[in-house]
Amino acid sequence: MEIGLIILAIMLATLLGWLLKQSFNTQPWVAEAVEESAYQAPFNARPKLVALVTFLAVVSSFFALILSAYALRMELGDWIPMTEPRLLWANTVILILASAAFQWTRNQAVRGDAARIRSGLLVTGALTIAFLVGQVVAWRQLYAAGQTLTLNPSNAFFYLLTAVHGLHILGGMYVWLRATARAFGGREADAVKQSVELCTIYWHFLLLVWLVLFGFMLAT
Amino acid sequence: MGYVAIADRDHEEEHHDPDTFITKYIWSQDHKVIAIQYGITAIFVGVIALILSAMMRLQLGFPDTFSFITPENYYQFVTMHGMIMVIYLLTALFLGGFGNYLIPLMCGSRDMVFPYMNMLSFWVYLLSVIILLASFFVPGGSTGAGWTLYPPQAIMQGTPGTDWGILLMLASLGVFIIAFTMGGLNYVTTVLQARCKGMTLMRMPLSVWGIFIATVLGLLAFPALLVSAIMMLLDKTVMTSFFMPAISSMGQVPENYTGGSPILFQHLFWFFGHPEVYIVALPAFGIVSDLLSTHARKNIFGYRMMVWAIIAIGGLSFIVWAHHMYVSGMNPYFGFFFATTTLIIAVPTALKVYNWVLTLWEGNIHLRVPMLFAIGFIFTFIHGGLTGLFLGNVTIDLPLSDTYFVVAHFHMVMGVSPVLVVFGAIYHWWPKITGRMYNETLGKWHFWMTFLGTYAIYLPMHYLGFQGVPRRYFAMGDTDFMPASAQDLNAWITIFALFVAFTQILFFVNVFISLKSGKKADPNPWKATTLEWQTPDTPPKHGNWGHELPVCYRWAYDYSVPGYPDDFIPQNVPPEEAPAGRQHGVAEH
Amino acid sequence: MPLAVVLILLVVGSLIFHVLSPWTFTELASNWSMVDFTIDITFWVTGAVFVAVNLFMAYCVVKFRYKKDARATYEPENKKLETWLTVLTSVGVAAMLTPGLFVWAKFVDVPEEAHVVEAVGQQWHWTYRYPGEDGKFGEVDAERISNDNPFGMDPDDPNGQDDVLVYHPEAHIPVDKPVKWLLRSKDVLHNFTVTEFRVKMDLVPGMQTFQWLTPTKTGRYEVLCEELCGIAHFAMRGAVIVDEQEDYDAWLASQPTYAELNARPGGNAAAGAANYAVCTACHGQQGEGLAPLNAPKIAGQDAWYLRNALNSYKAGIRGSSSDDTYGQQMAPMAATLVNDAAVENVIAYIGTFPDAPAPHTVDGDATNGKRSYRLCAYCHGDDGMGIQALNAPRLAGMTDWYIERQLTLFRDGVRGAHPTDFYGFQMSFMAQSLRDEQAVKDLVAYINTL
């Protein structure tokens, strides 16, 4: 459970530290006139961003707990390490490219270049779909090689981790679809920019998760 | 978009004026309607769980009398009672119900930040309830694995409901977690982003603090339940071996199961399960603080300490989970660590109790119905908290674990106490929610019967635990270590359990009478300071505040401020109109 | 005012209940008096807090109740008071925790001289293994478990040959000798608890757990399973008998080792024919049973069950109650089988009989019975053929009026009442769900259709 605990501790410490900073040295019982500056939003952020960051915390907890279970299960006697298919390296590169493409699109969105936003979104979508297809192909290769889900717990964890990671990407694709629709539907630049920015964060996050998962599986 | 703009935002996108019955009461995006939908659904399943507990008690109090309760039914009732009460009633009611109702009103915002997602959260929750209840009707019935759903027994023959019941239970939990996450993201974001001008964090009422931190706990802890549910589902359906060791069950050796660890499941389950206790307790702590302060006409004592205690308890709740597993066969050396952390958590909890009681000191206490429930809560919570010090101490857990003492302890601390707060809170906010007063006399009867009745159930139950009576026993039969009189005590407990169950009718009668012919309520009948009592309409309309959002100038506890004629100053009264609070030794502004 | 009075009464009443109630800890029978000591300290500390805080609250409720002209004081916080309370609470918590940790350190650290007994849990039955003279247990493996090898012993492991296998829920241990219980489960989680010993621990399939104690009083103590382990969890009982050393030695010597069990000759059917002569009069030439003589069909019944039944009759576990007239008739007949070899022989002979289904004599509504049978199926199987691992005999195709009579006896607590009849004890619980005569008949009618 150490992994889960460490990640959780980091998240909680961030939140608690921030809360404590807000609450030390205040005397709440003192009534005061409202100074505009004093009541800026925390993080100076927007609600969708706050919700996204909170959601990423939930997802981090989810993956951290699976990895904790992985680490605990690994110590038991029947564990046989699985050799990850080579294809995963290619998939990883594709996912990095997708993330980079999203970053590029975001930069275009900040500049307000509508045409480039659209092509950026298309490229990102194509790369992400390529990643998902690549993952499915990797599964098929494994199955063809007799590395089935129930053969060994290390296999089970491999399929479980790639599956839930893929599902999170699929969920991201739904939001990507909406952002793309917005970009092509000629919606105002601000709305498009916001969706693209949030998607970019999510893509970077899922890339990070994938790198951690992949690294963890390679190391074991 | 700046911060003020959000709170002040007109909801041109999401908000249409609700005009038809359907948009107003069914597909509503108004947080108040969603809160009531959550509340009604949660109380409905709660009543089912109450009936299940009455059936269990009939069997335990009078074994061999009710032949329609077979061991199979009994374990199904135990499981469903526990799961419903903990998750589908208390979690849903405190966060989905009170969280939804109170956060926007107390923070001075028009609605949750994402009203559509909020509505979706309720409907998904309802779906999870329907899946759960459906498991009563599938072949083999609902699962009888106990609410902890420990493998291997949860998915092996020999436990009721291993065909369909357990699948539906796991599916329902998964759906519930989705619903909770949608709601939780809303609550957190609303508290962080949509407070009205002047509502600093340290001016928030403790109810909001409790609900907020509980939501954070829920968001981080429910994934553990989700992970364990997914893995168990795979173990059950495709025969992976996450949790399943090599076994020989009922004369058969299942082929595929090798090497898994049932204890792994327990770690994951309790990593969720212990924070879950505080997901239920923290909102209750917050709400009860506000009830006490309002009805004692005195500021809550040690507000900052109360906030920090909530935060500390929330943080600590993640490193005590294995105190549920002292005798589970895990590495016994963990016992030292977890006993220590568990007893440390008693310190902030005890401080909260002291501060509640000190709030009463030199107050001017109105013993109205909500206040009775609040004081009743303090009594039962002290009792339940202190027995927690027995079980948290690893040595004492050796004899007491898995006995009636555990059952009595957690019902006291996590059943009776939060439920007393639920009732207190419903009576307290009833005038605001419905615009009508309830019947005070009926409410008092309801309190006395519930409070005394539950104490009559659970005090003696601890002593059966000392005696060594194990929990989750369908029947004891003749044993050497129990005197025959223990069975009489069991019968006594059953009689009071039935009594308490029946007296809850008083609550529903009160609700019914009040809705039908209750006196019209004053907008602020308790003369409370918090913002929800300062709305222009009672009950508040969609959007809560009319044209202008409130501005907050002070904390939520300006009761009996010296030098001001009224004994309360609402949070939205500017300092020019009413003095700032003062304290001995604190420099005046 | 009434609230304050009630609060005070509740506090006083709880104390009185604590002191006077007859329900308290069972008498200690092990070395773990330190557990009780820790509990006492915790009682004193928590009791003091319980009384102090609640009486203070009651005082406040009276003293500061609403008065029209009164006004509450305004005091946001009081650092000094809060600090004092924090310190005091911490001291109290430390006072409870410290002895707890010390005792736990003792529990974790098993004394070297402790002798080892293995308790094996399975749904819903306790069995035991003693390491034998070499003091070492043989290897076991879940995959090797079968009806012939219920412990899953490795036949080739020399350490296992002298292991003493007790396939019965009663264990013996010597008094005043520290014992380490090794705990092992074959199927699901269980928990090995003897209330008087104060300690307990879960059994986890796939791993071994332990607990240790030194019994201090001779006597018979009930073993309970305290981890929900399925439908018959509450009926999973056993016993530990604490003996004087010499009684223990004698008992242990009388138990068979693994090697001895393996070397036991099977029954000889031809020799059994002679023993069967006395049975013929009632059970018939071919074991088909004779209703007028109240003798059920025994042909086709599993050998392990016949062995259990005969031994139970011989030991007076069955057929000793005056309410079981026909059982009383059977007991002296069983006694004619003078030794284990005779029992084995007669069982082998019965095994040679043709297995024709017994005639149906009981009328009932099989549809109703099917509903009741759901509970039975957990142990006796959906097909009613019985499951040896669960000690559940075959029902399908056996004599229906006999099943009806036995169900009634179980339900009325006649059968299963003997303190060492662990299986009958379980069955008598299960039979409770049969409401009346008709329910029994319906159930038997359903069993007839299997």
Side-chain angles (χ1 to χ4, degrees):
Chain A
M1 298 302 283
E2 291 87 353
I3 300 168
L5 270 183
I6 290 167
I7 290 181
L8 207 90
I10 294 169
M11 294 192 296
L12 272 179
T14 318
L15 178 71
L16 300 188
W18 178 76
L19 286 177
L20 287 177
K21 213 178 92 198
Q22 299 273 311
S23 59
F24 268 117
N25 294 323
T26 51
Q27 293 179 326
W29 50 88
V30 175
E32 278 173 318
V34 176
E35 301 162 41
E36 286 297 327
S37 64
Y39 304 114
Q40 278 305 313
F43 311 123
N44 244 339
R46 295 154 306 180
K48 284 190 177 164
L49 180 60
V50 172
L52 177 65
V53 171
T54 315
F55 180 65
L56 296 187
V58 177
V59 178
S60 308
S61 171
F62 178 74
F63 279 104
L65 285 161
I66 301 185
L67 284 187
S68 303
Y70 189 112
L72 281 176
R73 184 68 181 80
M74 209 169 70
E75 287 163 18
L76 302 178
D78 63 332
W79 184 277
I80 302 165
M82 195 189 85
T83 326
E84 285 74 23
R86 292 255 181 81
L87 185 61
L88 288 188
W89 287 99
N91 291 349
T92 308
V93 172
I94 293 175
L95 195 62
I96 293 173
L97 288 178
S99 211
F102 236 133
Q103 182 65 33
W104 181 82
T105 317
R106 194 203 79 100
N107 293 345
Q108 302 314 314
V110 171
R111 284 206 271 139
D113 188 333
R116 284 189 174 187
I117 295 174
R118 287 198 281 269
S119 42
L121 280 170
L122 288 182
V123 170
T124 320
L127 284 169
T128 313
I129 290 170
F131 171 79
L132 288 175
V133 171
Q135 297 286 79
V136 173
V137 172
W139 277 14
R140 294 182 61 107
Q141 286 178 353
L142 279 173
Y143 250 85
Q147 294 285 329
T148 54
L149 173 68
T150 50
L151 189 68
N152 192 266
S154 66
N155 291 30
F157 269 105
F158 172 82
Y159 284 101
L160 176 66
L161 283 170
T162 45
V164 290
H165 179 260
L167 279 178
H168 279 85
I169 290 204
L170 269 182
M173 286 305 282
Y174 170 72
V175 186
W176 168 84
L177 210 63
R178 287 186 50 172
T180 312
R182 277 186 185 181
F184 281 86
R187 289 285 296 274
E188 54 199 289
D190 215 42
V192 176
K193 189 183 114 192
Q194 203 191 7
S195 325
V196 170
E197 280 184 336
L198 296 177
C199 278
T200 310
I201 296 174
Y202 189 67
W203 251 252
H204 290 345
F205 174 77
L206 283 186
L207 173 63
L208 182 73
V209 168
W210 173 248
L211 292 178
V212 171
L213 297 184
F214 190 39
F216 200 88
M217 288 189 286
L218 282 179
T220 51
Chain B
M1 261 197 300
Y3 150 67
V4 176
I6 296 142
D8 207 2
R9 132 193 89 112
D10 254 37
H11 351 80
E12 85 287 359
E13 270 190 315
E14 291 96 343
H15 164 211
H16 309 280
D17 264 339
D19 29 28
T20 67
F21 179 84
I22 301 265
T23 50
K24 195 167 174 188
Y25 297 110
I26 310 290
W27 303 110
S28 173
Q29 300 186 14
D30 181 354
H31 71 101
K32 299 183 290 298
V33 178
I34 296 171
I36 292 167
Q37 291 172 326
Y38 252 115
I40 290 174
T41 314
I43 290 173
F44 170 73
V45 282
V47 169
I48 293 178
L50 186 70
I51 294 169
L52 294 179
S53 73
M55 309 272 266
M56 282 147 55
R57 279 313 321 178
L58 280 178
Q59 164 61 28
L60 293 174
F62 308 99
D64 310 350
T65 314
F66 301 94
S67 56
F68 62 94
I69 306 172
T70 62
E72 196 177 23
N73 299 139
Y74 177 79
Y75 287 116
Q76 290 169 328
F77 295 164
V78 168
T79 307
M80 295 300 268
H81 166 79
M83 199 57 107
I84 289 178
M85 287 297 195
V86 172
I87 306 232
Y88 298 86
L89 170 69
L90 286 171
T91 308
L93 188 56
F94 271 119
L95 300 179
F98 289 112
N100 248 318
Y101 198 86
L102 295 177
I103 290 174
L105 278 169
M106 285 186 150
C107 290
S109 41
R110 294 210 180 275
D111 205 325
M112 288 290 175
V113 173
F114 309 111
Y116 181 76
M117 192 159 82
N118 203 21
M119 177 185 81
L120 221 53
S121 164
F122 167 72
W123 289 103
V124 176
Y125 162 63
L126 188 65
L127 177 67
S128 76
V129 167
I130 291 169
I131 297 175
L132 182 80
L133 296 183
S135 75
F136 279 115
F137 304 104
V138 293
S142 57
T143 177
W147 89 279
T148 49
L149 304 179
Y150 280 176
Q153 42 264 59
I155 58 175
M156 294 305 294
Q157 299 297 324
T159 300
T162 41
D163 296 328
W164 289 101
I166 185 70
L167 295 180
L168 286 181
M169 171 63 86
L170 295 174
S172 170
L173 286 172
V175 174
F176 179 89
I177 292 168
I178 294 171
F180 174 80
T181 308
M182 290 198 283
L185 291 178
N186 243 321
Y187 313 149
V188 168
T189 315
T190 305
V191 169
L192 290 179
Q193 292 281 300
R195 302 191 308 278
C196 71
K197 262 188 226 173
M199 181 64 77
T200 59
L201 285 179
M202 289 308 272
R203 281 182 180 166
M204 293 198 307
L206 287 167
S207 298
V208 178
W209 267 111
I211 292 167
F212 173 62
I213 299 291
T215 309
V216 172
L217 296 189
L219 286 173
L220 297 179
F222 268 112
L225 181 64
L226 187 59
V227 169
S228 43
I230 292 173
M231 290 186 181
M232 182 137 78
L233 214 52
L234 289 173
D235 276 2
K236 165 78 187 157
T237 53
V238 298
M239 311 282 278
T240 51
S241 296
F242 291 113
F243 305 132
M244 297 298 288
I247 55 174
S248 159
S249 168
M250 312 194 123
Q252 319 248 325
V253 179
E255 283 287 317
N256 242 317
Y257 293 140
T258 53
S261 163
I263 292 199
L264 176 57
F265 176 88
Q266 299 181 23
H267 277 300
L268 286 170
F269 182 86
W270 288 113
F271 192 82
F272 144 78
H274 197 77
E276 170 63 33
V277 173
Y278 291 97
I279 291 167
V280 171
L282 291 183
F285 289 176
I287 287 170
V288 90
S289 308
D290 286 351
L291 300 193
L292 287 167
S293 175
T294 306
H295 295 278
R297 316 308 298 158
K298 186 163 174 269
N299 64 281
I300 191 77
F301 183 82
Y303 172 83
R304 290 190 294 182
M305 184 67 94
M306 294 301 255
V307 172
W308 294 333
I310 286 180
I311 296 175
I313 294 171
L316 283 171
S317 74
F318 278 104
I319 49 167
V320 297
W321 79 87
H323 67 213
H324 297 269
M325 300 165 59
Y326 288 146
V327 296
S328 72
M330 67 170 179
N331 185 338
Y333 286 94
F334 290 175
F336 295 106
F337 174 78
F338 285 102
T340 310
T341 52
T342 303
L343 264 66
I344 288 175
I345 215 171
V347 177
T349 314
L351 285 175
K352 292 196 76 75
V353 174
Y354 302 148
N355 285 2
W356 289 326
V357 180
L358 287 169
T359 301
L360 298 176
W361 176 256
E362 296 190 334
N364 194 18
I365 302 167
H366 293 262
L367 287 177
R368 301 180 190 113
V369 177
M371 188 61 157
L372 289 176
F373 275 101
I375 291 176
F377 161 83
I378 300 180
F379 183 86
T380 56
F381 184 73
I382 290 174
H383 202 284
L386 291 174
T387 50
L389 289 166
F390 285 74
L391 294 170
N393 199 342
V394 57
T395 296
I396 308 180
D397 194 58
L398 275 175
L400 293 183
S401 173
D402 298 315
T403 66
Y404 271 29
F405 188 87
V406 178
V407 180
H409 158 71
F410 71 69
H411 276 92
M412 205 71 165
V413 80
M414 178 175 195
V416 175
S417 299
V419 166
L420 288 178
V421 177
V422 164
F423 284 126
I426 291 178
Y427 284 112
H428 181 77
W429 279 292
W430 185 257
K432 181 55 66 179
I433 297 171
T434 63
R436 291 181 183 274
M437 294 305 289
Y438 54 83
N439 182 313
E440 185 82 10
T441 316
L442 269 181
K444 283 189 171 158
W445 275 101
H446 177 214
F447 165 73
W448 284 113
M449 291 176 153
T450 309
F451 176 59
L452 293 176
T454 47
Y455 201 63
I457 298 171
Y458 294 112
L459 177 74
M461 200 184 276
H462 290 91
Y463 289 81
L464 284 180
F466 291 142
Q467 193 83 56
V469 180
R471 67 188 283 213
R472 290 169 163 176
Y473 263 39
F474 168 75
M476 277 308 296
D478 293 326
T479 61
D480 305 332
F481 65 91
M482 265 169 57
S485 59
Q487 188 49 46
D488 302 339
L489 198 56
N490 241 332
W492 158 285
I493 291 173
T494 295
I495 290 165
F496 276 93
L498 295 175
F499 169 77
V500 170
F502 276 113
T503 52
Q504 301 316 305
I505 290 172
L506 285 180
F507 169 73
F508 294 102
V509 169
N510 207 345
V511 163
F512 183 73
I513 293 179
S514 169
L515 287 177
K516 199 149 180 279
S517 57
K519 204 170 80 199
K520 266 241 172 285
D522 191 75
N524 188 0
W526 319 126
K527 305 204 183 317
T529 57
T530 39
L531 288 180
E532 79 275 20
W533 299 103
Q534 325 303 333
T535 52
D537 307 289
T538 298
K541 295 219 168 79
H542 196 175
N544 295 345
W545 306 104
H547 287 299
E548 227 171 302
L549 279 173
V551 178
C552 171
Y553 296 97
R554 57 188 72 239
W555 71 336
Y557 301 100
D558 265 346
Y559 289 103
S560 307
V561 177
Y564 191 70
D566 287 347
D567 67 352
F568 73 112
I569 314 174
Q571 285 187 280
N572 57 351
V573 173
E576 306 87 76
E577 291 173 34
R582 276 184 304 271
Q583 192 210 359
H584 322 288
V586 175
E588 283 189 31
H589 274 254
Chain C
M1 194 54 114
L3 180 62
V5 172
V6 167
L7 288 177
I8 294 168
L9 284 179
L10 285 181
V11 170
V12 175
S14 305
L15 292 181
I16 293 175
F17 186 85
H18 179 75
V19 175
L20 294 185
S21 95
W23 306 289
T24 181
F25 280 92
T26 47
E27 206 182 331
L28 181 72
S30 78
N31 59 320
W32 290 113
S33 57
M34 293 161 87
V35 171
D36 289 10
F37 171 70
T38 317
I39 292 172
D40 285 341
I41 294 180
T42 308
F43 256 125
W44 282 108
V45 177
T46 56
V49 175
F50 177 72
V51 172
V53 179
N54 281 316
L55 290 185
F56 179 80
M57 184 163 76
Y59 173 77
C60 289
V61 169
V62 181
K63 173 85 182 177
F64 305 111
R65 66 183 182 278
Y66 173 70
K67 297 185 200 85
K68 205 151 185 273
D69 311 321
R71 198 175 166 100
T73 37
Y74 183 80
E75 189 187 26
E77 56 186 39
N78 180 337
K79 283 239 169 77
K80 208 169 140 193
L81 179 61
E82 289 175 70
T83 314
W84 268 110
L85 287 174
T86 313
V87 171
L88 267 180
T89 310
S90 308
V91 170
V93 164
M96 290 182 281
L97 179 63
T98 317
L101 294 184
F102 272 105
V103 180
W104 186 250
K106 279 219 173 333
F107 179 73
V108 170
D109 183 29
V110 184
E112 266 172 38
E113 71 273 21
H115 70 106
V116 185
V117 182
E118 186 183 67
V120 184
Q122 69 179 67
Q123 280 170 325
W124 295 290
H125 187 210
W126 294 103
T127 56
Y128 307 91
R129 186 159 70 122
Y130 292 71
E133 273 166 23
D134 63 356
K136 286 192 198 121
F137 284 113
E139 285 293 319
V140 286
D141 191 344
E143 271 139 47
R144 252 186 248 110
I145 293 173
S146 66
N147 286 339
D148 300 328
N149 186 2
F151 287 82
M153 302 284 291
D154 178 352
D156 303 325
D157 186 347
N159 289 333
Q161 301 303 319
D162 66 345
D163 286 7
V164 176
L165 305 181
V166 182
Y167 196 78
H168 187 257
E170 252 178 9
H172 288 245
I173 51 174
V175 70
D176 291 329
K177 292 269 164 62
V179 53
K180 176 181 185 182
W181 292 98
L182 280 180
L183 306 172
R184 183 161 67 87
S185 168
K186 292 186 201 171
D187 40 33
V188 298
L189 302 170
H190 301 282
N191 182 302
F192 186 82
T193 303
V194 174
T195 306
E196 292 90 338
F197 292 164
R198 294 293 187 269
V199 288
K200 60 165 66 86
M201 190 53 74
D202 276 7
L203 286 70
V204 184
M207 61 186 277
Q208 215 169 35
T209 56
F210 72 91
Q211 56 171 270
W212 79 271
L213 58 108
T214 309
T216 52
K217 283 194 188 114
T218 54
R220 186 175 195 275
Y221 303 99
E222 191 157 2
V223 177
L224 301 171
C225 174
E226 296 206 354
E227 182 69 72
L228 178 55
C229 59
I231 189 103
H233 163 56
F234 64 99
M236 181 169 166
R237 315 282 176 94
V240 172
I241 293 163
V242 179
D243 286 329
E244 294 294 349
Q245 184 71 43
E246 46 286 14
D247 298 337
Y248 168 75
D249 292 338
W251 173 83
L252 192 61
S254 72
Q255 298 298 313
T257 64
Y258 178 56
E260 283 166 9
L261 280 174
N262 279 346
R264 254 185 207 175
N268 181 335
N275 294 115
Y276 189 75
V278 66
C279 315
T280 321
C282 299
H283 289 283
Q285 289 288 346
Q286 302 284 306
E288 66 275 17
L290 289 168
L293 294 169
N294 294 299
K297 173 191 163 196
I298 48 178
Q301 187 54 278
D302 295 318
W304 66 267
Y305 181 74
L306 294 174
R307 188 179 303 122
N308 264 0
L310 287 170
N311 286 335
S312 293
Y313 278 121
K314 282 172 69 180
I317 295 168
R318 248 187 106 173
S320 56
S321 164
S322 59
D323 293 325
D324 181 8
T325 323
Y326 307 111
Q328 278 186 310
Q329 291 174 4
M330 179 66 199
M333 302 300 162
T336 61
L337 300 167
V338 287
N339 53 24
D340 287 349
V343 172
E344 291 305 322
N345 291 344
V346 80
I347 290 171
Y349 183 62
I350 294 170
T352 63
F353 295 154
D355 172 20
H360 298 173
T361 62
V362 177
D363 283 328
D365 179 353
T367 326
N368 272 339
K370 186 176 184 186
R371 220 169 298 132
S372 310
Y373 189 76
R374 249 174 73 167
L375 183 61
C376 316
Y378 281 96
C379 294
H380 293 278
D382 289 328
D383 55 3
M385 291 306 285
I387 300 176
Q388 182 179 350
L390 295 169
N391 302 296
R394 169 181 169 184
L395 304 173
M398 305 307 285
T399 312
D400 56 1
W401 56 262
Y402 174 76
I403 296 175
E404 181 191 1
R405 180 184 295 157
Q406 296 306 313
L407 280 171
T408 313
L409 288 177
F410 277 123
R411 199 190 57 182
D412 297 344
V414 177
R415 233 185 117 176
H418 193 277
T420 58
D421 186 3
F422 292 95
Y423 314 115
F425 178 78
Q426 295 183 332
M427 190 59 211
S428 67
F429 271 129
M430 299 302 164
Q432 299 303 336
S433 59
L434 297 167
R435 186 166 64 253
D436 49 24
E437 296 310 312
Q438 193 54 46
V440 177
K441 283 194 188 327
D442 292 348
L443 175 60
V444 174
Y446 176 71
I447 293 172
N448 275 340
T449 67
L450 292 174

